[in-house]
Amino acid sequence: MDISSIFLLLSVCGTTWAFTLDLDYGGVPLWINRFLGEPSVLTLKDRMDPGWFRAVNTQSCPLECDCPIQWPTALYCDHRGLTQLPSGLPSHTQYMFLQGNNITILGSRSLANATNLRWLILDRNQLLSEQLFTRLVNLFINNNNLTRVPVGLPSGIKQLRLAYNRIEKISEGAFQNLDNLTLLLLQGNRLTTIEEGDLKGLGVLNLLDLSHNLLETFPKHLPPSVQQLYLSNNSLTGLTGNSLHGFNGLRYLRLGHNKLRNEGLDPGAFNLTSLVELDLSYNQLTEIPTVPTTLQYLYLEVNDIQEFNVSSFCRTTGPTSYSRMKILRLDGNKLEYHKLPPDWVFCLRVLHNIYI
């Protein structure tokens, strides 16, 4: 084994020790930082006998839950058939796992004693729209029955996961005081449009997931701070020349599984040099759209493209004029590798992989 392989192995192992990847029902992976002492999102199934924990743990613990001594600030009450929050929550609780129950409502006093609560995971319950009064930093309410975004959310919240509910509309001002929110998951709901005041106040939002909704036009009035925007599995037909205007930091844009056609795409729709990855797969495109030369990853698989246009990637070619494309997917179209124009290699000179 050469020295480079050893360094690679050490770097991979170091990452494994520091972080553990846990499942998140919202579709975006959740990294649990072991160095910060954060417990796993996964349940305590197949771990030590909960009775043993209760016997050796001097801290108070609700009968419906498990309180592992290795994470004294964590409370595991998941998959217990609960219809309401357990009583007697310890005030030192910071992480509360309630996923997989039948909870329908949270009373305004339910979490009154849990003044230090930072993570609340309520995925896969039966929650309706509810007002929450807590000091949360991370709130998970994926796979419930919410019809609107909860109001009264604490201003310190950083992650809000509302995926796969029944939200049809965002109440104006719902996010107005969430100055610290960086991640918002709204995929799998019933949104048809984003109104002007819907996302007002989200000044530092980094990731916005609106995939699997009912959007027919590219949403306006999105926070310009967004760097990752997911709009796959909607019914979008095109983008105008100013659809991405103001998104100077946008790096990842996913538009797969829509109804995009070339006639609906303005030639300058993707003229954004900050873009690193663009997903246009599973649409109805017949031509490769014009993309910036700084783009590195382009996914166009399963469209109806019949011609490879070098000008879509390079307006000119030269010593400093070439595409930075690394991965290009064109499989599932009507192209053949041996029919590509001979000058494509001068444009895509740093390409790692091309799929046709």
Side-chain angles (χ1 to χ4, degrees):
M1 180 182 292
D2 60 23
I3 190 67
S4 62
S5 300
I6 295 175
F7 281 136
L8 177 60
L9 180 60
L10 288 174
S11 65
V12 171
C13 291
T15 302
T16 303
W17 294 334
F19 296 97
T20 299
L21 182 62
D22 275 312
L23 293 178
D24 169 39
Y25 305 123
V28 175
L30 175 68
W31 289 94
I32 299 297
N33 193 335
R34 298 292 186 225
F35 287 161
L36 294 179
E38 292 179 346
S40 171
V41 175
L42 301 180
T43 69
L44 283 177
K45 290 179 179 178
D46 301 322
R47 300 187 185 184
M48 290 186 179
D49 181 3
W52 181 84
F53 285 122
R54 197 173 301 280
V56 300
N57 194 350
T58 59
Q59 302 275 9
S60 60
C61 182
L63 292 175
E64 305 95 327
C65 308
D66 291 323
C67 304
I69 56 176
Q70 68 267 44
W71 288 309
T73 58
L75 204 62
Y76 286 88
C77 316
D78 54 290
H79 299 90
R80 308 299 169 95
L82 301 178
T83 57
Q84 61 184 10
L85 261 65
S87 58
L89 299 179
S91 60
H92 61 265
T93 302
Q94 295 184 29
Y95 306 89
M96 190 167 183
F97 303 109
L98 284 159
Q99 66 268 29
N101 283 292
N102 297 310
I103 299 171
T104 58
I105 190 170
L106 299 178
S108 60
R109 300 177 62 84
S110 301
L111 301 171
N113 191 48
T115 54
N116 294 307
L117 192 63
R118 298 178 62 246
W119 292 63
L120 178 58
I121 299 180
L122 288 159
D123 294 348
R124 300 186 187 279
N125 275 276
Q126 304 296 323
L127 280 173
L128 306 172
S129 295
E130 179 61 45
Q131 193 169 19
L132 297 167
F133 298 95
T134 65
R135 296 180 180 179
L136 293 174
V137 175
N138 302 282
L139 178 57
F140 293 57
I141 320 183
N142 302 313
N143 296 95
N144 277 276
N145 298 320
L146 299 180
T147 57
R148 60 184 175 90
V149 176
V151 297
L153 295 172
S155 59
I157 199 166
K158 294 182 178 180
Q159 293 190 28
L160 180 57
R161 304 183 181 225
L162 301 170
Y164 301 101
N165 279 278
R166 300 177 181 178
I167 299 172
E168 298 180 358
K169 185 175 175 59
I170 300 172
S171 302
E172 186 173 354
F175 300 110
Q176 192 163 357
N177 298 317
L178 303 188
D179 301 330
N180 298 295
L181 193 68
T182 60
L183 182 146
L184 176 59
L185 302 188
L186 284 166
Q187 73 266 35
N189 281 285
R190 302 174 181 177
L191 294 169
T192 58
T193 185
I194 301 295
E195 302 292 344
E196 185 172 0
D198 286 356
L199 302 178
K200 184 178 180 181
L202 300 180
V204 296
L205 191 67
N206 179 285
L207 188 154
L208 175 61
D209 196 337
L210 292 168
S211 56
H212 290 274
N213 273 281
L214 304 174
L215 301 171
E216 294 184 356
T217 58
F218 193 90
K220 300 179 181 179
H221 316 298
L222 301 181
S225 60
V226 170
Q227 297 184 28
Q228 302 176 65
L229 179 58
Y230 305 153
L231 287 161
S232 57
N233 292 93
N234 278 281
S235 298
L236 305 180
T237 57
L239 279 79
T240 65
N242 61 1
S243 290
L244 300 179
H245 180 71
F247 288 95
N248 298 325
L250 186 63
R251 295 172 60 81
Y252 303 94
L253 178 59
R254 297 181 183 175
L255 296 167
H257 292 273
N258 276 281
K259 299 178 181 178
L260 296 175
R261 293 174 173 267
N262 288 94
E263 51 267 30
L265 289 177
D266 187 277
F270 302 117
N271 186 24
L272 197 64
T273 57
S274 63
L275 270 183
V276 173
E277 179 181 288
L278 177 60
D279 182 3
L280 298 171
S281 61
Y282 292 88
N283 277 283
Q284 301 171 22
L285 301 174
T286 56
E287 299 177 2
I288 300 174
T290 302
V291 296
T293 56
T294 50
L295 190 69
Q296 297 182 33
Y297 305 93
L298 178 59
Y299 306 110
L300 284 163
E301 65 267 28
V302 194
N303 277 276
D304 195 27
I305 299 171
Q306 304 179 40
E307 183 179 359
F308 190 100
N309 300 313
V310 176
S311 60
S312 297
F313 306 98
C314 296
R315 266 50 78 193
T316 60
T317 55
T320 60
S321 301
Y322 59 92
S323 171
R324 273 61 177 180
M325 191 73 62
K326 294 180 179 178
I327 294 179
L328 175 60
R329 287 199 58 175
L330 288 162
D331 42 317
N333 285 280
K334 298 179 179 179
L335 293 169
E336 296 180 57
Y337 186 84
H338 68 277
K339 293 183 178 180
L340 296 184
D343 57 342
W344 76 271
V345 293
F346 298 107
C347 169
L348 301 172
R349 65 180 70 172
V350 297
L351 193 68
H352 292 177
N353 296 98
I354 183 171
Y355 302 89
I356 295 181

